[in-house]
Amino acid sequence: MVRPRAQAAHGRSFGTQARVYNEVRPGYPDSALDLALTGWEPQWSGLRVCDLGGGTGILTRRLLARGADLIAVDPDTAALERNPAPTKIGTAEDTGLEAESLDLVTVAQAWHWFDEAKAAAEVARILRPGGRLLILINQLDVRVDWVLRLSRIMHAGDVYRPQYRPQPGNGLALTDRRLVEFTTELTVDGIVDLARTRSYWLRSNEKTRARIEANLREYFSVEHPVSGTVDLPYMCLAYLLERV
């Protein structure tokens, strides 16, 4: 088990691979983003949004393109250097943002790095009454046998399954959810780069990294041969919560 302090430290290390992260990590499907506005009068244009754990800006760019008035918050300064939005150094547990100043908080690929109860209390504090939290989690679709094997070689650590439901409490209640299946096209080199963006790789020594890369290349040359590119299956788990 990773201790909370060590877990937080791992969550701040992705900036070291910021360029690669942007190139090989998948974006988020439109239907997953659209969950944020389900049954809601506000539209994206002018919506006051915090992309919490915004990092290099994979989700941030999509939200800016939709017209959101957005600030990205993250403790990783190296990652934020690539984020196109106004940024603020902060954590999910202490954003430094004003109380009741936001319509929507988005958390993409970062919820598992937070202290859930403390983060929920902070999100509830900075949301206006009736404001929303959208949690997005892209997972390798390990329901597919060859992807399950791949994830084990990579030590991918994709721990959430479709049955998962966030229940943080502290003023936030789950109101809707959605599972969206999609694929992203990568070469074998791209999949090796994908492994380089994983927390297991980032905290491993060079010997372990070399072994992972060798195992990946052998897998795609022998067990699951690939010529050119492969469509890598993912599922996006989307959860909508509301400040109550």
Side-chain angles (χ1 to χ4, degrees):
M1 178 179 294
V2 179
R3 294 179 182 275
R5 185 172 296 178
Q7 181 182 31
H10 296 324
R12 300 179 189 188
S13 62
F14 294 100
T16 62
Q17 292 285 352
R19 179 189 61 79
V20 175
Y21 195 103
N22 270 352
E23 290 177 355
V24 299
R25 286 287 184 120
Y28 299 91
D30 286 338
S31 57
L33 297 185
D34 291 342
L35 181 64
L37 302 188
T38 301
W40 213 24
E41 183 176 339
Q43 299 302 305
W44 287 105
S45 181
L47 201 68
R48 295 169 298 165
V49 180
C50 170
D51 190 13
L52 185 56
T56 62
I58 291 176
L59 177 60
T60 302
R61 290 175 178 84
R62 298 285 303 282
L63 299 177
L64 289 174
R66 290 182 173 217
D69 177 9
L70 188 143
I71 185 168
V73 174
D74 199 289
D76 190 332
T77 55
L80 284 182
E81 287 177 359
R82 293 181 174 269
N83 196 299
T87 62
K88 184 177 179 61
I89 302 299
T91 66
E93 300 82 11
D94 183 13
T95 63
L97 300 176
E98 293 183 9
E100 299 188 357
S101 60
L102 299 164
D103 301 304
L104 176 69
V105 172
T106 58
V107 176
Q109 220 63 19
W111 190 252
H112 58 294
W113 296 116
F114 303 162
D115 180 312
E116 186 173 49
K118 292 180 179 179
E122 176 67 356
V123 169
R125 185 188 69 82
I126 61 179
L127 282 174
R128 66 168 176 79
R132 291 179 166 185
L133 166 65
L134 178 67
I135 299 173
L136 299 175
I137 305 169
N138 279 342
Q139 299 274 191
L140 290 171
D141 193 345
V142 295
R143 299 171 300 179
V144 180
D145 288 343
W146 74 265
V147 180
L148 175 60
R149 173 63 178 146
L150 169 64
S151 72
R152 289 173 173 170
I153 296 172
M154 292 173 63
H155 295 264
D158 287 351
V159 296
Y160 294 112
R161 296 295 179 265
Q163 296 80 13
Y164 167 74
R165 305 287 183 270
Q167 299 288 347
N170 285 339
L172 297 175
L174 181 67
T175 59
D176 205 352
R177 58 184 174 83
R178 186 172 294 173
L179 186 152
V180 183
E181 298 173 345
F182 69 103
T183 63
T184 185
E185 186 179 23
L186 288 174
T187 63
V188 172
D189 286 341
I191 292 175
V192 172
D193 281 342
L194 182 64
R196 292 188 175 109
T197 71
R198 295 285 180 161
S199 59
Y200 182 82
W201 177 287
L202 292 172
R203 64 178 186 263
S204 294
N205 59 35
E206 289 304 319
K207 182 178 179 180
T208 299
R209 293 174 178 180
R211 185 181 71 246
I212 295 170
E213 179 170 352
N215 288 344
L216 284 171
R217 294 192 183 280
E218 180 181 9
Y219 178 64
F220 284 112
S221 65
V222 178
E223 295 184 49
H224 191 79
V226 168
S227 176
T229 62
V230 60
D231 289 329
L232 185 58
Y234 276 88
M235 52 184 172
C236 181
L237 309 179
Y239 304 96
L240 185 64
L241 296 93
E242 187 167 319
R243 178 185 162 182
V244 294

